[in-house]
Amino acid sequence: MNWFKKIVILTAVIFSSLFFIYYFSDSFNFFLFSYKEIEVPDILGKELKEAEKILKQNKLHLVISDSRFSDKIPENFIIEQSPYSGKKVRENRDIFVVVSSGYNLVKVPDLKGYSLREA
């Protein structure tokens, strides 16, 4: 009978502890893992240095994930950002951006003297 009591008490303690942790988990996260949430600013269309300055002021980090040629957006301007503006993130989070490489200039060969078929 002594073992049975110990098992019942141990089981009750375990279940009540799990319930307590589950029920009050938000409170524990606040005290144990407190962090500040920041709204991601809109840096689309901004020049790279300006965007980096804006993110730094908001305790966020700019990371260039890709660059693309663009006929509409000049070189070193932000084309895309992730996460998008307005989203709440933790401070010191990386904000990934795609930067414009400017126009994609293509060298056109001199076709003077060639027929339409040869060109």
PDB file of all heavy atoms in Angstrom, residues 40-52:
ATOM      1  N   VAL A  40       8.312  46.284 -38.168  1.00  0.00           N
ATOM      2  CA  VAL A  40       9.274  46.410 -39.260  1.00  0.00           C
ATOM      3  C   VAL A  40       8.925  47.651 -40.088  1.00  0.00           C
ATOM      4  O   VAL A  40       7.797  47.786 -40.562  1.00  0.00           O
ATOM      5  CB  VAL A  40       9.263  45.155 -40.162  1.00  0.00           C
ATOM      6  CG1 VAL A  40      10.204  45.324 -41.340  1.00  0.00           C
ATOM      7  CG2 VAL A  40       9.625  43.922 -39.356  1.00  0.00           C
ATOM      8  N   PRO A  41       9.886  48.567 -40.258  1.00  0.00           N
ATOM      9  CA  PRO A  41       9.619  49.767 -41.059  1.00  0.00           C
ATOM     10  C   PRO A  41       9.604  49.444 -42.557  1.00  0.00           C
ATOM     11  O   PRO A  41      10.166  48.437 -42.986  1.00  0.00           O
ATOM     12  CB  PRO A  41      10.782  50.697 -40.706  1.00  0.00           C
ATOM     13  CG  PRO A  41      11.873  49.798 -40.266  1.00  0.00           C
ATOM     14  CD  PRO A  41      11.221  48.595 -39.668  1.00  0.00           C
ATOM     15  N   ASP A  42       8.972  50.317 -43.325  1.00  0.00           N
ATOM     16  CA  ASP A  42       8.926  50.148 -44.782  1.00  0.00           C
ATOM     17  C   ASP A  42      10.206  50.718 -45.386  1.00  0.00           C
ATOM     18  O   ASP A  42      10.466  51.918 -45.295  1.00  0.00           O
ATOM     19  CB  ASP A  42       7.703  50.872 -45.349  1.00  0.00           C
ATOM     20  CG  ASP A  42       7.534  50.656 -46.840  1.00  0.00           C
ATOM     21  OD1 ASP A  42       8.167  49.724 -47.386  1.00  0.00           O
ATOM     22  OD2 ASP A  42       6.761  51.408 -47.460  1.00  0.00           O
ATOM     23  N   ILE A  43      11.011  49.850 -45.982  1.00  0.00           N
ATOM     24  CA  ILE A  43      12.266  50.311 -46.606  1.00  0.00           C
ATOM     25  C   ILE A  43      12.265  50.053 -48.106  1.00  0.00           C
ATOM     26  O   ILE A  43      13.280  50.273 -48.765  1.00  0.00           O
ATOM     27  CB  ILE A  43      13.490  49.644 -45.942  1.00  0.00           C
ATOM     28  CG1 ILE A  43      13.388  48.120 -45.970  1.00  0.00           C
ATOM     29  CG2 ILE A  43      13.687  50.165 -44.531  1.00  0.00           C
ATOM     30  CD1 ILE A  43      14.647  47.417 -45.519  1.00  0.00           C
ATOM     31  N   LEU A  44      11.131  49.623 -48.653  1.00  0.00           N
ATOM     32  CA  LEU A  44      11.041  49.404 -50.097  1.00  0.00           C
ATOM     33  C   LEU A  44      11.257  50.715 -50.839  1.00  0.00           C
ATOM     34  O   LEU A  44      10.700  51.754 -50.470  1.00  0.00           O
ATOM     35  CB  LEU A  44       9.680  48.828 -50.482  1.00  0.00           C
ATOM     36  CG  LEU A  44       9.445  47.369 -50.123  1.00  0.00           C
ATOM     37  CD1 LEU A  44       8.017  46.976 -50.489  1.00  0.00           C
ATOM     38  CD2 LEU A  44      10.430  46.471 -50.814  1.00  0.00           C
ATOM     39  N   GLY A  45      12.081  50.673 -51.887  1.00  0.00           N
ATOM     40  CA  GLY A  45      12.336  51.859 -52.685  1.00  0.00           C
ATOM     41  C   GLY A  45      13.357  52.804 -52.079  1.00  0.00           C
ATOM     42  O   GLY A  45      13.674  53.834 -52.657  1.00  0.00           O
ATOM     43  N   LYS A  46      13.894  52.456 -50.925  1.00  0.00           N
ATOM     44  CA  LYS A  46      14.900  53.303 -50.273  1.00  0.00           C
ATOM     45  C   LYS A  46      16.299  52.879 -50.730  1.00  0.00           C
ATOM     46  O   LYS A  46      16.536  51.737 -51.088  1.00  0.00           O
ATOM     47  CB  LYS A  46      14.803  53.185 -48.757  1.00  0.00           C
ATOM     48  CG  LYS A  46      13.451  53.511 -48.182  1.00  0.00           C
ATOM     49  CD  LYS A  46      13.531  54.747 -47.347  1.00  0.00           C
ATOM     50  CE  LYS A  46      12.265  55.022 -46.578  1.00  0.00           C
ATOM     51  NZ  LYS A  46      11.198  55.581 -47.297  1.00  0.00           N
ATOM     52  N   GLU A  47      17.215  53.834 -50.683  1.00  0.00           N
ATOM     53  CA  GLU A  47      18.613  53.551 -51.014  1.00  0.00           C
ATOM     54  C   GLU A  47      19.206  52.667 -49.924  1.00  0.00           C
ATOM     55  O   GLU A  47      18.797  52.746 -48.758  1.00  0.00           O
ATOM     56  CB  GLU A  47      19.369  54.880 -51.135  1.00  0.00           C
ATOM     57  CG  GLU A  47      20.633  54.795 -51.955  1.00  0.00           C
ATOM     58  CD  GLU A  47      21.851  54.440 -51.131  1.00  0.00           C
ATOM     59  OE1 GLU A  47      21.885  54.803 -49.945  1.00  0.00           O
ATOM     60  OE2 GLU A  47      22.743  53.766 -51.655  1.00  0.00           O
ATOM     61  N   LEU A  48      20.152  51.821 -50.273  1.00  0.00           N
ATOM     62  CA  LEU A  48      20.684  50.808 -49.370  1.00  0.00           C
ATOM     63  C   LEU A  48      21.206  51.396 -48.061  1.00  0.00           C
ATOM     64  O   LEU A  48      20.884  50.916 -46.983  1.00  0.00           O
ATOM     65  CB  LEU A  48      21.785  50.019 -50.089  1.00  0.00           C
ATOM     66  CG  LEU A  48      22.343  48.812 -49.381  1.00  0.00           C
ATOM     67  CD1 LEU A  48      21.258  47.790 -49.115  1.00  0.00           C
ATOM     68  CD2 LEU A  48      23.456  48.189 -50.197  1.00  0.00           C
ATOM     69  N   LYS A  49      21.995  52.456 -48.130  1.00  0.00           N
ATOM     70  CA  LYS A  49      22.562  53.062 -46.919  1.00  0.00           C
ATOM     71  C   LYS A  49      21.472  53.670 -46.037  1.00  0.00           C
ATOM     72  O   LYS A  49      21.530  53.577 -44.816  1.00  0.00           O
ATOM     73  CB  LYS A  49      23.611  54.111 -47.276  1.00  0.00           C
ATOM     74  CG  LYS A  49      24.879  53.504 -47.818  1.00  0.00           C
ATOM     75  CD  LYS A  49      25.932  54.552 -48.110  1.00  0.00           C
ATOM     76  CE  LYS A  49      27.175  53.891 -48.686  1.00  0.00           C
ATOM     77  NZ  LYS A  49      28.223  54.845 -48.988  1.00  0.00           N
ATOM     78  N   GLU A  50      20.489  54.292 -46.665  1.00  0.00           N
ATOM     79  CA  GLU A  50      19.380  54.876 -45.904  1.00  0.00           C
ATOM     80  C   GLU A  50      18.567  53.785 -45.209  1.00  0.00           C
ATOM     81  O   GLU A  50      18.189  53.912 -44.041  1.00  0.00           O
ATOM     82  CB  GLU A  50      18.479  55.676 -46.855  1.00  0.00           C
ATOM     83  CG  GLU A  50      17.302  56.338 -46.170  1.00  0.00           C
ATOM     84  CD  GLU A  50      16.354  57.023 -47.141  1.00  0.00           C
ATOM     85  OE1 GLU A  50      16.649  57.051 -48.355  1.00  0.00           O
ATOM     86  OE2 GLU A  50      15.321  57.511 -46.673  1.00  0.00           O
ATOM     87  N   ALA A  51      18.308  52.686 -45.922  1.00  0.00           N
ATOM     88  CA  ALA A  51      17.563  51.566 -45.343  1.00  0.00           C
ATOM     89  C   ALA A  51      18.321  50.962 -44.170  1.00  0.00           C
ATOM     90  O   ALA A  51      17.734  50.643 -43.137  1.00  0.00           O
ATOM     91  CB  ALA A  51      17.306  50.504 -46.410  1.00  0.00           C
ATOM     92  N   GLU A  52      19.628  50.821 -44.311  1.00  0.00           N
ATOM     93  CA  GLU A  52      20.441  50.275 -43.224  1.00  0.00           C
ATOM     94  C   GLU A  52      20.377  51.182 -41.995  1.00  0.00           C
ATOM     95  O   GLU A  52      20.274  50.703 -40.864  1.00  0.00           O
ATOM     96  CB  GLU A  52      21.878  50.119 -43.701  1.00  0.00           C
ATOM     97  CG  GLU A  52      22.714  49.224 -42.846  1.00  0.00           C
ATOM     98  CD  GLU A  52      24.007  48.813 -43.532  1.00  0.00           C
ATOM     99  OE1 GLU A  52      24.470  49.521 -44.442  1.00  0.00           O
ATOM    100  OE2 GLU A  52      24.541  47.781 -43.134  1.00  0.00           O
TER     101      GLU A  52
END
